[in-house]
Amino acid sequence: MNRLIAIAALGAGLAAAPALAQDESGAPGGFFIGALAGYEGIDVKSSDGSISADASSAVYGVNAGFDLGLGNAFVGIEGELSTSDGTTRFPGSFAGAREGLETNGQYYIGARAGVALTPGIAAYGKIGYTALDTRAFTDSGSLAELEENADGLRYGGGLQLQLPGALEARIEYRRSQYNDLADAGQGDATTNQVVAGIGLRF
């Protein structure tokens, strides 16, 4: 939560900077910072892949990055810090002795590239590194909680809309795959997210 507050404060400070004009092609360029919120579904599989458990929750966070305009197209880098409150309950036959997995902070850094569909509307794809903080637990407290940070790959795409002034909006789908939860008694975890966001372009 302190990281979220820090990034939000950075965004407030940058708000005083003049916005860079978007070129006539509609491809975005320059620095951006924003906030996002939406839906997350998480699916966790046992180490042998025979049993799975899933849950859904809200996800929300902040992002920032830089896009380089290339005429009708653009490429960029982006970072994101988000959190969700999904809690997956395992069947009794699930691998491992713990009874559930809770997701917490998620961190992402990656690349994106896109093309202007019309002046002010662009489509893009993205791919990059992501990490997920998890907490495996038992309802009875018979085993100590096990906190773990899992590395993974995120990819997805979306649409971006230029709004009046320096404002912009986006809607995005992304999928993240985590493969190193073995210490918590699970095999793989996958998250699917659909988010909407609003931001400022500088």
Side-chain angles (χ1 to χ4, degrees):
M1 183 59 68
N2 288 337
R3 293 176 188 157
L4 289 172
I5 294 172
I7 294 178
L10 175 62
L14 289 174
L20 295 178
Q22 188 170 4
D23 70 36
E24 293 300 320
S25 71
F31 292 97
F32 65 87
I33 189 167
L36 55 89
Y39 163 85
E40 175 185 87
I42 180 169
D43 181 75
V44 184
K45 291 185 178 180
S46 58
S47 299
D48 62 5
S50 62
I51 305 171
S52 64
D54 58 67
S56 60
S57 69
V59 60
Y60 51 92
V62 292
N63 64 345
F66 176 82
D67 292 322
L68 176 64
L70 301 171
N72 196 50
F74 68 95
V75 295
I77 57 172
E78 179 180 34
E80 180 183 306
L81 172 63
S82 62
T83 189
S84 62
D85 56 1
T87 299
T88 304
R89 300 285 177 173
F90 303 145
S93 55
F94 205 97
R98 290 171 177 81
E99 297 164 353
L101 184 76
E102 180 182 83
T103 59
N104 295 306
Q106 300 172 50
Y107 318 95
Y108 168 80
I109 185 167
R112 67 186 208 134
V115 62
L117 303 179
T118 68
I121 300 177
Y124 62 89
K126 63 190 295 178
I127 188 169
Y129 166 83
T130 181
L132 174 67
D133 287 341
T134 65
R135 182 179 69 90
F137 61 89
T138 58
D139 293 325
S140 63
S142 57
L143 288 174
E145 294 178 357
L146 178 59
E147 296 185 0
E148 185 173 20
N149 184 273
D151 299 320
L153 176 72
R154 176 180 293 181
Y155 55 92
L159 291 173
Q160 189 164 303
L161 172 66
Q162 182 183 9
L163 300 177
L167 288 174
E168 62 184 21
R170 67 170 69 180
I171 185 167
E172 181 178 297
Y173 164 78
R174 59 268 194 96
R175 180 180 177 92
S176 301
Q177 181 73 45
Y178 305 95
N179 300 312
D180 53 358
L181 291 172
D183 290 343
Q186 297 85 48
D188 300 339
T190 302
T191 62
N192 290 282
Q193 299 175 343
V194 178
V195 300
I198 188 139
L200 289 172
R201 177 73 58 170
F202 305 97

